[in-house]
Amino acid sequence: MRMVDIISKKRNGEALTKQEIDYVIKGYTSGDIPDYQMSALAMAIYFQDMTTDERVNLTMAMVESGDQIDLSDIDGIKVDKHSTGGVGDTTTLILAPLVAAVGVPVAKMSGRGLGHTGGTIDKLESIEGFKVELDAKQFNELVNQNKIAVVGQSGNLTPADKKLYGLRDVTGTVNSIPLIASSIMSKKIASGADAIVLDVKMGSGAFMTEIEDARELAQAMVKIGNGAGRNTIAVISDMNQPLGFAIGNALEVKEAIDTLNGEGPEDLHELCLTLGSQMVYLAGEAKTLDEARERLENAIDSGAAIEKFKTFIASQGGDPTVVDDPSKLPTAAYTFEVEAKEDGYVSEIIADEIGNAASILGAGRTTKDSVIDLAVGLILRKKVGEKVQKGESLVTIHSNSKTVEEVIQKIYNSYHITKEPVEANPLVYDIIRK
Ligand code: URA
Ligand code: CA
């Protein structure tokens, strides 16, 4: 086989065989196929697309390029959840203990990553003593015992995707549905889940800004998941404003505690129930989605969900008393209110821009080696659709620096205020099944 023939074939719009795709991914991972040939193929895929069979074969070739996590020692159907990205997305911190409380095993491998705030692992580290390094045996035992454990990423998962994603980033080939879908699904499948619930974000703060594109991406991932033998469902949810009120690490832990106590922001609470019922249903812990939802609501009302969060924290070495006394979480030295300059209604909060504001405070990493300030971040006081009066606070800044001019400017840039009343966007646009 020759790479140049494979590139030409795709350029001409033909479908590649499994053997050809395996040859490409093996050769690219080992370094036998150079970046310039892989770039040409990525661009050909960008313009010519891939069939469902090709997408499944590409995904599986990337899964097989590295280690795969074996969760077979854990009892029950393991369901993983993935969000395609957004700002202030606290759902994993809430969903993990919430679905574990109704008996769904949560064996979560989570990343740190580059973003406006840290990943789930960073957020958990704002709890004193919490350890994210567990060996495979400890991890499996904890999940069997408590139905929940979260570990930091280790091992060499999907090296082909890492290399290809880096190449796409500098060759104008990130925004391709077959490439995004296979990239995300390869990581989920290599992480060992039996079933997958995807939260595909749509809006100004997401990859996909139009519903048609979000639906196409969701359908592509659902087909790949099912084609690879993993039951997969996608929820398309709104990212025309951040989810919940908190953007920051310790601030989001506090928000997760509130939500598990039934006192969280309405949108965050509702999205967790929507995603959570899909997880409970796929895990076979409820016969219908309505029953799944009822069980989750009961777990919040009875206190079982927050108890599960305490058990989870204690079992990984953390101090569970933060749940009853969140003032034990890291706290910033200063707070500032960002006041509305005029009367009106909030029509949009550009998630990306406000995320950058949190990042400037130190809530996120700008390079792989930067150190996160777990205490800092933002609390949104007004969300889309709400009426504001001049002088009222839009956002509270939690900062460890006295200089926050740039942060304030970004917050003003992200808040759009109109004279006319605005209706808030729906939270969930669609649910895609096979
Ligand atoms: N996230 C990924 O992991 N891969 C992509 O290609 C896009 C988003
Ligand atoms: Ca949030």
Side-chain angles (χ1 to χ4, degrees), residues 87-91 94 123 242-248 251-252 255-256 265 267-268 378 380 383:
V87 175
D89 188 342
T90 321
T91 53
I94 298 159
K123 291 172 192 172
L243 194 60
F245 301 133
I247 307 169
L251 293 173
E252 288 186 41
E255 184 169 68
D267 58 349
L268 184 57
L378 307 171
L380 311 187
K383 297 211 43 181

Side-chain angles (χ1 to χ4, degrees), residues 161 165 168 174 179-180 183-184 187 207:
D161 171 64
Y165 198 8
R168 287 165 53 211
V174 167
L179 295 177
I180 297 174
S183 168
I184 293 174
K187 285 174 278 216
F207 260 107

Side-chain angles (χ1 to χ4, degrees), residues 81-84 89 91 197-201 235 237 271 275:
K81 174 237 132 191
H82 177 81
S83 152
T84 62
D89 188 342
T91 53
V197 174
L198 299 161
D199 179 12
V200 176
K201 302 288 190 188
V235 172
S237 71
L271 187 61
L275 295 168

Side-chain angles (χ1 to χ4, degrees), residues 69-379:
I69 309 292
D70 179 4
L71 299 177
S72 58
D73 283 345
I74 296 170
D75 311 325
I77 298 172
K78 278 73 70 180
V79 187
D80 201 356
K81 174 237 132 191
H82 177 81
S83 152
T84 62
V87 175
D89 188 342
T90 321
T91 53
T92 300
L93 276 179
I94 298 159
L95 279 170
L98 179 57
V99 304
V102 307
V104 177
V106 176
K108 182 92 187 154
M109 188 179 252
S110 210
R112 295 182 189 277
L114 293 169
H116 302 296
T117 65
T120 300
I121 288 291
D122 300 293
K123 291 172 192 172
L124 286 167
E125 280 182 344
S126 56
I127 298 167
E128 171 103 38
F130 196 96
K131 278 189 223 42
V132 296
E133 285 104 33
L134 301 169
D135 65 36
K137 186 157 169 282
Q138 289 171 312
F139 180 67
N140 292 351
E141 278 171 9
L142 277 183
V143 183
N144 279 332
Q145 193 183 320
N146 300 326
K147 296 287 171 199
I148 177 169
V150 176
V151 279
Q153 243 143 41
S154 63
N156 182 28
L157 291 196
T158 60
D161 171 64
K162 263 193 207 99
K163 210 171 162 188
L164 180 55
Y165 198 8
L167 185 72
R168 287 165 53 211
D169 207 22
V170 293
T171 55
T173 49
V174 167
N175 233 333
S176 149
I177 285 180
L179 295 177
I180 297 174
S182 57
S183 168
I184 293 174
M185 293 307 289
S186 69
K187 285 174 278 216
K188 288 291 113 182
I189 293 167
S191 303
D194 303 311
I196 299 159
V197 174
L198 299 161
D199 179 12
V200 176
K201 302 288 190 188
M202 198 282 278
S204 57
F207 260 107
M208 299 297 161
T209 53
E210 306 297 329
I211 184 69
E212 295 75 29
D213 298 334
R215 201 174 273 130
E216 206 184 324
L217 177 62
Q219 273 158 354
M221 291 194 288
V222 167
K223 277 191 187 162
I224 292 173
N226 288 304
R230 318 289 168 114
N231 219 335
T232 305
I233 284 176
V235 172
I236 300 177
S237 71
D238 185 59
M239 202 21 91
N240 284 303
Q241 64 175 334
L243 194 60
F245 301 133
I247 307 169
N249 296 278
L251 293 173
E252 288 186 41
V253 172
K254 164 77 167 59
E255 184 169 68
I257 293 169
D258 290 343
T259 307
L260 288 165
N261 274 321
E263 293 158 0
E266 215 176 285
D267 58 349
L268 184 57
H269 171 84
E270 178 55 32
L271 187 61
C272 286
L273 287 176
T274 302
L275 295 168
S277 10
Q278 300 289 347
M279 293 172 77
V280 172
Y281 176 70
L282 285 186
E285 289 290 327
K287 289 197 182 62
T288 63
L289 285 168
D290 286 342
E291 184 194 335
R293 194 181 169 97
E294 203 176 308
R295 292 197 60 194
L296 294 173
E297 283 170 344
N298 289 341
I300 293 176
D301 294 345
S302 69
I306 196 74
E307 273 313 308
K308 184 58 82 177
F309 194 46
K310 286 186 195 172
T311 305
F312 161 56
I313 294 170
S315 73
Q316 294 195 215
D319 173 10
T321 66
V322 294
V323 170
D324 295 318
D325 184 4
S327 71
K328 291 183 176 173
L329 291 165
T331 310
Y334 310 102
T335 60
F336 303 91
E337 303 299 332
V338 182
E339 293 171 0
K341 293 176 182 169
E342 61 203 320
D343 293 352
Y345 298 84
V346 179
S347 62
E348 189 180 10
I349 306 172
I350 301 174
D352 205 41
E353 189 73 3
I354 204 149
N356 288 335
S359 188
I360 294 168
L361 286 166
R365 284 188 187 80
T366 42
T367 71
K368 252 189 269 177
D369 304 315
S370 27
V371 178
I372 289 185
D373 187 339
L374 295 167
V376 303
L378 307 171
I379 300 287

